């Protein structure tokens, strides 16, 4: 998930990102937070987590720390998004890694599986921002299948890409609030840039496939 914002150039690999705001819905173990801030501590990162136990574990066992540029908000992620949309807040990157207890299709959580919420997520993006969604589903059809979720978000965002990585069953969907005119040329750019991004984060053996949807 860390790769997508750099791939879509919402975050820069080489320039200072101190003016960039990142919103993460779902803290988990804090791996994304730590990986991002260890390389680019200047990024303004807000992590929203519903479960205080998860926050405690992330801090106690995984080394997650709050700083001037990294804050953890203990709140329902959907409520945070609703409030942000009402207040006109904008983020350069919005990551949804919120899951629930559904066995066959835990990610994203059910609250993030409808068009109204997808529209709110688009509304809180800057014009050049990117939205990243972690999809984990074992269903092959129906509203909880990966293909249906991709279709849902693609109906709201003008352009989306699917990222699939080796050794991972997850699908990472990354969307932008602008149209891609020359799809073939853009896909070539993404594939060439992916190599540079993976190298930056020492993930060369994770190289997978990119599909524009």
């Amino acid at each position: 998930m860390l790769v997508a914002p750099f791939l879509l150039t919402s975050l820069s690999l080489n320039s200072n990102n101190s003016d960039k705001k990142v919103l993460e819905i779902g803290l988990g173990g804090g791996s994304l937070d730590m990986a991002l801030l260890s390389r680019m501590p200047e990024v303004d990162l807000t992590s929203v987590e519903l479960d205080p136990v998860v926050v405690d574990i992330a801090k106690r066992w995984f080394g997650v720390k709050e700083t001037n540029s990294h804050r953890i908000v203990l709140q329902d992620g959907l409520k945070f998004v609703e409030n942000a949309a009402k207040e006109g807040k904008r983020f350069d990157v919005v990551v949804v890694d919120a899951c629930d207890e559904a066995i066959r299709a835990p990610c994203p959580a059910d609250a993030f599986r409808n068009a109204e919420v997808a529209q709110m997520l688009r509304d809180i993006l800057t014009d050049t921002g990117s939205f990243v969604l972690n999809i984990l589903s074992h269903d092959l059809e129906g509203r909880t299948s990966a293909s249906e979720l991709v279709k849902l978000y693609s109906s709201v965002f003008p352009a989306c890409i699917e990222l699939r990585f080796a050794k991972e069953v997850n699908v990472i969907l990354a969307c932008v609030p602008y149209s891609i005119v020359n799809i073939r040329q853009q896909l070539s750019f993404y594939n060439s840039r992916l190599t540079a991004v993976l190298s930056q984060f020492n993930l060369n053996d994770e190289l997978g496939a990119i599909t524009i949807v």
Side-chain angles (χ1 to χ4, degrees), residues 110-125:
D110 190 63
F112 294 93
R113 295 176 187 158
N114 68 78
E116 183 180 355
V117 172
Q119 183 62 55
M120 280 194 294
L121 290 163
R122 177 181 173 178
D123 291 343
I124 64 173
L125 278 181

Side-chain angles (χ1 to χ4, degrees), residues 16 79 192:
N16 188 284
K79 190 65 177 177
S192 62

Side-chain angles (χ1 to χ4, degrees), residues 29 32 56 58 70 90 99 125 129 137 139 149 155 159 177-178 203 207:
L32 184 147
D56 183 61
H70 180 213
R90 296 291 182 269
C99 305
L125 278 181
S137 175
D139 288 339
L149 287 166
S155 71
Y178 51 83
L203 296 171
L207 184 62

Side-chain angles (χ1 to χ4, degrees), residues 91-107:
F91 298 88
D92 299 282
V93 179
V94 176
V95 177
V96 173
D97 193 16
C99 305
D100 56 27
E101 297 178 354
I103 296 175
R104 293 194 58 80
C107 307

Side-chain angles (χ1 to χ4, degrees), residues 30-42:
S31 58
L32 184 147
D33 307 55
M34 300 302 287
L36 176 61
L37 294 175
S38 65
R39 291 168 174 81
M40 298 174 180
E42 74 276 9

